Amino acid sequence: MSKYITSVVSTVVHMDDRNPIFGDDIITVTIDDEACGGYIVLTQNEQTIKIDPDELQLIVKTAMKMLAQYKKHEK
């Protein structure tokens, strides 16, 4: 007989003084699967981006490089 367990498949990123349930500045990070393997879903203000896990590390690396270049020229 099967038993109930818990699994974390969604979390919210928000400022510590803001409501984590609703607001324009919260981002919900979810793992989803449409029978073709899991992927990351970012949702903010009813806008959604789906990211393949194989692309995630490259996206983060590229974004960090861009931010570092930006900060050099910001001064």
Side-chain angles (χ1 to χ4, degrees):
M1 180 176 177
S2 296
K3 64 180 182 172
Y4 285 101
I5 63 169
T6 61
S7 299
V8 178
V9 296
S10 183
T11 193
V12 177
V13 178
H14 62 95
M15 300 299 289
D16 63 355
D17 62 344
R18 303 292 172 92
N19 186 316
I21 305 299
F22 61 88
D24 292 338
D25 57 348
I26 67 167
I27 299 172
T28 303
V29 182
T30 307
I31 301 291
D32 205 347
D33 187 345
E34 295 176 351
C36 60
Y39 56 91
I40 308 297
V41 180
L42 304 176
T43 305
Q44 185 179 39
N45 294 330
E46 299 180 16
Q47 296 181 355
T48 299
I49 298 173
K50 296 178 180 181
I51 303 171
D52 185 294
D54 294 336
E55 298 171 329
L56 183 59
Q57 190 171 11
L58 182 58
I59 290 169
V60 171
K61 182 179 176 181
T62 301
M64 297 307 289
K65 182 178 177 181
M66 291 168 62
L67 284 170
Q69 290 173 356
Y70 171 76
K71 286 180 182 180
K72 284 184 201 175
H73 300 289
E74 188 177 37
K75 298 176 183 177

